[in-house]
Amino acid sequence: MKNQFDYLVIGSGIAGLTFALKAAHSGTVAIVTKKDKLETSTNYAQGGIASVMGADDSFQLHIEDTFSAGDGLCHPEIVELVVKTGPERIHDLVELGVAFNRSGEGPQKTFDLGREGGHTRNRILHAHDMTGRAVEEVLIAAAEANPNIVIFENHMVLDLIIQHHSMKTGSLNLYQQDVCRGAYVLDVAGNEIHTFAANSVLLCTGGAGKVYLYTSNPDVATGDGLAIAYRAGAMLANLEFVQFHPTCLYHPLAKNFLISEAVRGEGGKLIDRRGQAFMEKYHPLKDLAFRDIVARAIDTEMKSSGDDCVFLDISHRDQDFLKQRFPNIYQKCLSLGVDITRDPIPVVPAAHYMCGGIVTNAKGQTTIQNLHALGECACTGLHGANRLASNSLLEAMVFAHEAARHCRENIESWRNRMLPEVPDCSAKIGQNGIHAHNEMVLVTHNWDIIRRLMWNYVGIVRTDKRLALALNHIAHIRMEIKEHMPKIPMNSDLVELQGLALVAELIIRCAMQRTESRGLHYNLDHPKKDDAEWLQDTLVSKRPEEDFLSSVTFKIDGQVSGPRTGLSFRHQ
């Protein structure tokens, strides 16, 4: 088969690129990314990477801060793994050429460490206010220079190729296992579907911020990995914990532009339209409280005042310092008529980060063999009910390293395993009739309805009634999508809509299960935390009665019966 690799990496953010560079030492790697290779959430990450690098800091303090943010649901062994191996992963980036800001002179020069909400020490490494871009560009350059890595831009994964084994004696099912063998991929420019076969598949697809009307995420964050993993049968967890960043720039000409939490870390104060600071009413840490608390506080202030936004004021700091520390934020705001050295910045909360995702272990393995998940699409147990600021890029690097090591140890046995050939189902996409393109209005309409529904009913503050209404609406939307999909030529917008609708439903289902308020999930009908019932992850997986097969859903099944081995594949 033309597209056959040892490793298939889906996504080109920090998780996918870090894994690819490490895995390339043991095999061939294909990186599939649905837009331009730089169009990732990593590239837009302003704040930085949290790691214990300061003389006054310790692993124990970072661990305690992570636990405090996670509100009881962090997995202790995972938190310890990430925090204690964090400095090693930072040095990996430095060796590749990432230029983090430093302070001091000569040999005494040390990392310039910032502080963000929830951190009790300065431990945020940054490259001015464009840390993600600095990391992404270095990793992309290294990947492009590696002969074992091939990058496929404008290629969108439709579904995973799953090989199903079961051994039976009579009617008794003794053993069952699903193995991921690759993926079906849409070449957007060529309008073709290609089959990619691999010994191991890595989902590094990022988050799902675009399921909400207002988000800091780029347009690619449509929850693709969550949807295809769910359809394949993988376990997902904690999707109710959607982190809303408290400070997204509020301006009619600004789209998805984040005002980094580092601004508050450097002394920025949240004020109302009258210039009154308000965070002291909500938490002892005031403007540096955890993100869920700050986002709810802003939401409360806006609803009580009727104002469209609040303001973030850092104009009391030195002008030269602000221009040097936040050059990107300064220039962006100035282009819109806001001079942050003199003016408060209008801000609103926006969907920012998925703390839940595809369940993995400490090696990044999912509940499907040979399928790993890394980065924001994964649920490792690090974040619990609320992510501590700037822990996400660190998590991505740590689990990319662990997954690469696990794959390197197993790649020879995977290559030698007696497995059937994956059928090449590559095909040119047809046009489904002369009036088909007129039906694209159904895609844009439902896309807009889903995002507004989720913002209004499944947002920062929830109720049982709103969740029930949202689930009912989403069920009707998904039925409409399924009914009309055969009439529309396959395209990336249609594929994203199908996945977005599924992810919206899963978020609602998880939120309805958790009858308490914890971390990022706040329900007015259940305002208290209930450790007796809910000191546990919310798990969700495909139910036996569900049928999500559609024009963009493919599956391969192999049956192993008794002492005979007769493998049959079905392309649906």
Side-chain angles (χ1 to χ4, degrees):
M1 181 179 294
K2 178 182 176 182
N3 295 319
Q4 188 155 0
F5 298 86
D6 287 309
Y7 308 107
L8 173 60
V9 178
I10 304 169
S12 59
I14 187 172
L17 292 173
T18 300
F19 174 87
L21 290 169
K22 293 176 180 288
H25 294 294
S26 61
T28 57
V29 184
I31 299 176
V32 170
T33 183
K34 68 177 182 178
K35 293 287 181 68
D36 180 274
K37 55 184 175 289
L38 288 173
E39 188 63 13
T40 68
S41 291
T42 299
N43 196 44
Y44 292 90
Q46 293 178 359
I49 306 176
S51 188
V52 176
M53 309 295 285
D56 66 337
D57 203 358
S58 69
F59 290 144
Q60 186 58 37
L61 286 172
H62 192 180
I63 288 170
E64 289 174 1
D65 290 348
T66 301
F67 279 137
S68 295
D71 208 4
L73 292 189
C74 300
H75 295 196
E77 72 284 1
I78 296 299
V79 175
E80 186 172 340
L81 168 68
V82 173
V83 169
K84 290 187 175 180
T85 61
E88 298 173 32
R89 306 287 72 82
I90 295 296
H91 288 301
D92 288 347
L93 291 180
V94 173
E95 289 180 5
L96 282 171
V98 176
F100 293 110
N101 283 33
R102 294 177 183 262
S103 59
E105 300 294 336
Q108 302 302 316
K109 211 168 189 181
T110 58
F111 290 116
D112 178 32
L113 301 174
R115 186 182 297 192
E116 296 179 3
H119 291 274
T120 56
R121 294 291 186 276
N122 285 39
R123 64 169 69 99
I124 313 300
L125 293 95
H126 61 93
H128 298 290
D129 60 347
M130 297 172 285
T131 306
R133 186 181 306 174
V135 171
E136 182 81 3
E137 289 176 350
V138 167
L139 293 176
I140 282 287
E144 289 180 328
N146 194 306
N148 268 3
I149 299 175
V150 182
I151 301 176
F152 295 85
E153 294 180 285
N154 299 305
H155 279 63
M156 184 176 189
V157 172
L158 302 176
D159 267 310
L160 300 174
I161 300 171
I162 301 298
Q163 178 189 344
H164 178 73
H165 295 280
S166 62
M167 298 184 66
K168 298 180 180 180
T169 302
S171 61
L172 182 63
N173 191 354
L174 298 178
Y175 178 73
Q176 183 170 304
Q177 184 177 51
D178 286 343
V179 183
C180 187
R181 299 292 319 283
Y184 295 109
V185 179
L186 173 64
D187 175 356
V188 177
N191 209 35
E192 294 180 327
I193 297 173
H194 298 293
T195 303
F196 280 71
N199 290 302
S200 182
V201 176
L202 290 296
L203 289 173
C204 311
T205 53
K210 296 295 286 187
V211 79
Y212 285 94
L213 183 61
Y214 302 111
T215 177
S216 64
N217 290 182
D219 289 343
V220 295
T222 52
D224 306 343
L226 303 179
I228 64 176
Y230 181 86
R231 288 196 299 260
M235 183 76 72
L236 278 66
N238 294 350
L239 297 179
E240 69 271 34
F241 298 122
V242 181
Q243 188 174 78
F244 290 81
H245 197 288
T247 53
C248 201
L249 179 61
Y250 180 73
H251 194 280
L253 300 180
K255 179 184 179 183
N256 308 339
F257 190 79
L258 189 69
I259 304 299
S260 170
E261 192 161 321
V263 174
R264 283 181 285 128
E266 297 291 355
K269 300 290 184 183
L270 286 163
I271 59 175
D272 60 24
R273 192 172 293 279
R274 301 183 308 279
Q276 299 296 312
F278 56 81
M279 278 308 301
E280 63 182 10
K281 297 188 296 184
Y282 297 95
H283 197 273
L285 289 174
K286 301 178 183 177
D287 297 275
L288 288 179
F290 301 117
R291 286 181 177 176
D292 60 319
I293 294 169
V294 179
R296 282 200 299 273
I298 294 174
D299 184 69
T300 300
E301 291 290 317
M302 289 169 56
K303 286 177 177 174
S304 63
S305 67
D307 292 335
D308 294 331
C309 66
V310 296
F311 298 86
L312 180 58
D313 188 13
I314 196 170
S315 60
H316 57 278
R317 295 298 304 267
D318 178 74
Q319 292 187 19
D320 291 336
F321 168 78
L322 293 178
K323 293 176 184 179
Q324 183 178 4
R325 177 66 176 87
F326 303 110
N328 188 40
I329 293 174
Y330 172 76
Q331 290 295 337
K332 179 66 174 181
C333 290
L334 193 64
S335 72
L336 298 171
V338 178
D339 183 347
I340 69 171
T341 68
R342 297 183 305 173
D343 308 320
I345 308 166
V347 294
V348 293
H352 183 59
Y353 191 89
M354 290 292 299
C355 290
I358 307 159
V359 173
T360 72
N361 64 11
K363 299 174 183 176
Q365 288 179 293
T366 71
T367 52
I368 296 176
Q369 188 175 336
N370 291 30
L371 177 66
H372 294 70
L374 308 172
E376 189 174 350
C377 72
C379 183
T380 64
L382 174 67
H383 305 308
N386 183 24
R387 175 179 69 104
L388 181 65
S390 290
N391 264 0
S392 51
L393 296 183
L394 180 68
E395 177 195 37
M397 292 189 299
V398 168
F399 283 94
H401 177 84
E402 297 300 321
R405 179 165 59 183
H406 173 250
C407 290
R408 183 174 64 249
E409 293 169 352
N410 290 277
I411 189 63
E412 287 302 326
S413 65
W414 292 342
R415 287 173 181 151
N416 295 331
R417 187 180 300 153
M418 294 297 293
L419 292 173
E421 290 295 321
V422 174
D424 189 350
C425 299
S426 300
K428 189 77 175 177
I429 299 172
Q431 289 303 310
N432 296 353
I434 191 170
H435 300 296
H437 286 287
N438 294 333
E439 299 300 317
M440 283 299 292
V441 67
L442 299 171
V443 174
T444 56
H445 173 75
N446 280 312
W447 181 285
D448 184 63
I449 291 296
I450 290 170
R451 298 182 68 206
R452 290 182 182 276
L453 174 71
M454 293 297 289
W455 182 262
N456 291 327
Y457 288 1
V458 200
I460 297 171
V461 177
R462 302 160 179 175
T463 67
D464 287 347
K465 182 177 181 179
R466 290 180 202 163
L467 292 175
L469 287 170
L471 186 63
N472 186 52
H473 283 309
I474 284 292
H476 285 290
I477 290 170
R478 294 197 64 211
M479 287 179 63
E480 181 177 323
I481 293 170
K482 185 173 182 179
E483 178 183 347
H484 289 283
M485 279 182 63
K487 305 173 185 177
I488 305 173
M490 184 184 295
N491 59 80
S492 58
D493 290 340
L494 181 61
V495 175
E496 286 182 335
L497 175 63
Q498 186 201 36
L500 199 76
L502 173 55
V503 171
E505 180 180 305
L506 296 178
I507 292 172
I508 298 166
R509 281 168 48 187
C510 285
M512 293 179 75
Q513 283 186 56
R514 185 170 291 277
T515 53
E516 65 160 359
S517 289
R518 181 188 299 270
L520 298 164
H521 174 68
Y522 189 80
N523 188 324
L524 291 173
D525 294 315
H526 311 280
K528 302 296 183 181
K529 187 163 57 177
D530 183 359
D531 284 347
E533 290 292 328
W534 284 109
L535 194 61
Q536 58 182 308
D537 295 323
T538 309
L539 300 176
V540 61
S541 61
K542 191 165 87 168
R543 298 168 294 192
E545 68 271 17
E546 289 181 304
D547 178 13
F548 291 105
L549 294 178
S550 69
S551 59
V552 298
T553 301
F554 300 85
K555 189 165 183 179
I556 286 181
D557 289 338
Q559 298 296 327
V560 183
S561 302
R564 293 181 55 205
T565 300
L567 290 168
S568 61
F569 290 86
R570 184 172 76 257
H571 174 202
Q572 297 174 306

